[in-house]
Amino acid sequence: EAEKKYIIEGCQDGIRFDGRGPSDYRTISLENSILPQVNGSSRVRVSNAFDIICSIKVEVSEPNLSRPNVGNVIFSADISPSCQITLDDRNLFAMASEITDNIQSIFISSNALNLEDLCIIPGKFCWSIQVDFLILQMDGNPTDACSIASYVAFQCCKIPKVTLLAGPSGSMDDFEIIGDISEGIPFNISRIPILMTAIMVGNVPLVDGSNDEWDCSSCAVTNAIDRSGMCCGMLLTRNGLLSSENMMEAIKTSIIAAATIFVQLDEFFLQMEAIDKAAALDSIEAPPIRVGLLMA
């Protein structure tokens, strides 16, 4: 109880136990294109708190009969037993399912991707996007770090180009894939948000909360923030009383934190672009693992 009181009173004074401010994120390290056998991949480390690998696979599937003109985006999370948390397998599975459901719900409701762009032939073929997370380490709620990992993975992911083929009746009822995956179509990530979960410790909203701060929190709300600074989705991820004033403060804190992360992501992408250009000029293959260290 004394430790909780110390954490809460410190947050009320605007100072967290590790010296960060309410909207400060811990140090982030990024890698992209780490898995050659998938369409897009990344690895995100947040200080000593989170270590998450994200992979994106693009496969052909049949569209849902109720929505014949759109493709699918499916998220899945798995928590490694190597995580230093005291949960049995059943509770680990339940936690992974909750993370998956939260990300899936906010991602789809925010219209981050135009699912019609994933349609190949209406009613017959579409692209199905499978986004998988492997959580190797966690101190707090990994939902936000997972969203950052997916953002990086989508940035380097490409959809294969296709040519539609006419059947005997003259209608386009089949297709063939053109060229190599490296010649595919990049995702438009301009509308993809990152998730910022604000936990209420006392009357102060904090992002990137540690396990100790989560233990002191009364409620939590996960906000989907796009690069324009708009909150395009919201989900109450820990039930509790939250006044309208505290809600607005939580959104404001999430927007401030997300703006900083987007700047860091853009710097990372520029680093990777420079590496690719240098590799092309030297006529050598770019290294399979590209690392950028971003200071929050």
Side-chain angles (χ1 to χ4, degrees):
E1 290 300 323
E3 184 178 356
K4 286 186 177 182
K5 182 179 179 182
Y6 171 77
I7 291 175
I8 294 172
E9 289 181 352
C11 292
Q12 294 294 126
D13 293 333
I15 301 175
R16 300 162 76 168
F17 74 95
D18 56 5
R20 290 182 292 149
S23 62
D24 292 341
Y25 226 81
R26 286 169 282 195
T27 303
I28 301 176
S29 176
L30 301 175
E31 302 173 49
N32 70 351
S33 301
I34 63 171
L35 303 174
Q37 69 271 28
V38 297
N39 298 81
S41 60
S42 67
R43 186 170 188 171
V44 170
R45 296 181 179 92
V46 181
S47 189
N48 294 322
F50 300 108
D51 188 355
I52 297 169
I53 294 175
C54 175
S55 68
I56 298 179
K57 295 180 181 179
V58 180
E59 299 176 337
V60 177
S61 67
E62 295 182 2
N64 191 305
L65 293 179
S66 62
R67 305 184 68 193
N69 297 320
V70 300
N72 306 304
V73 180
I74 302 170
F75 291 85
S76 178
D78 187 26
I79 301 175
S80 170
S82 65
C83 284
Q84 299 298 316
I85 53 177
T86 56
L87 292 176
D88 57 29
D89 290 344
R90 179 178 297 179
N91 286 328
L92 278 178
F93 179 79
M95 180 180 289
S97 296
E98 181 180 354
I99 294 167
T100 298
D101 292 343
N102 290 344
I103 295 176
Q104 181 88 31
S105 175
I106 296 181
F107 190 90
I108 298 300
S109 64
S110 65
N111 295 317
L113 290 177
N114 185 354
L115 297 183
E116 292 184 358
D117 291 342
L118 302 179
C119 179
I120 303 174
I121 298 177
K124 291 198 66 175
F125 301 110
C126 69
W127 295 114
S128 181
I129 313 299
Q130 178 69 46
V131 185
D132 294 314
F133 302 104
L134 176 59
I135 302 170
L136 301 173
Q137 184 177 351
M138 55 188 290
D139 175 25
N141 188 321
T143 301
D144 301 354
C146 284
S147 76
I148 296 173
S150 67
Y151 191 93
V152 175
F154 270 115
Q155 193 273 340
C156 62
C157 183
K158 294 182 178 180
I159 299 179
K161 292 182 179 179
V162 299
T163 295
L164 300 184
L165 303 176
S169 64
S171 61
M172 299 298 180
D173 57 6
D174 204 351
F175 70 96
E176 64 179 4
I177 295 177
I178 305 174
D180 188 75
I181 186 61
S182 62
E183 302 172 2
I185 303 171
F187 272 95
N188 178 6
I189 64 171
S190 62
R191 297 196 313 180
I192 296 180
I194 57 176
L195 305 184
M196 290 286 118
T197 300
I199 61 174
M200 297 302 301
V201 178
N203 292 320
V204 180
L206 311 175
V207 298
D208 188 23
S210 66
N211 280 331
D212 290 336
E213 289 172 331
W214 272 86
D215 288 341
C216 298
S217 66
S218 57
C219 65
V221 58
T222 299
N223 300 300
I225 311 297
D226 65 19
R227 61 172 45 253
S228 69
M230 178 180 295
C231 180
C232 53
M234 182 183 300
L235 184 67
L236 191 64
T237 47
R238 169 173 283 186
N239 292 331
L241 296 177
L242 189 64
S243 67
S244 58
E245 181 179 353
N246 285 341
M247 174 70 77
M248 295 307 297
E249 284 298 316
I251 294 174
K252 180 180 178 181
T253 301
S254 297
I255 290 173
I256 293 172
T260 302
I261 298 297
F262 275 120
V263 170
Q264 296 171 339
L265 286 169
D266 288 342
E267 291 175 355
F268 173 74
F269 295 149
L270 287 175
Q271 292 175 20
M272 298 306 100
E273 183 179 353
I275 289 175
D276 289 341
K277 287 183 178 179
L281 289 175
D282 293 340
S283 297
I284 61 174
E285 184 178 353
I289 299 179
R290 289 88 63 82
V291 181
L293 181 63
L294 307 179
M295 302 301 294

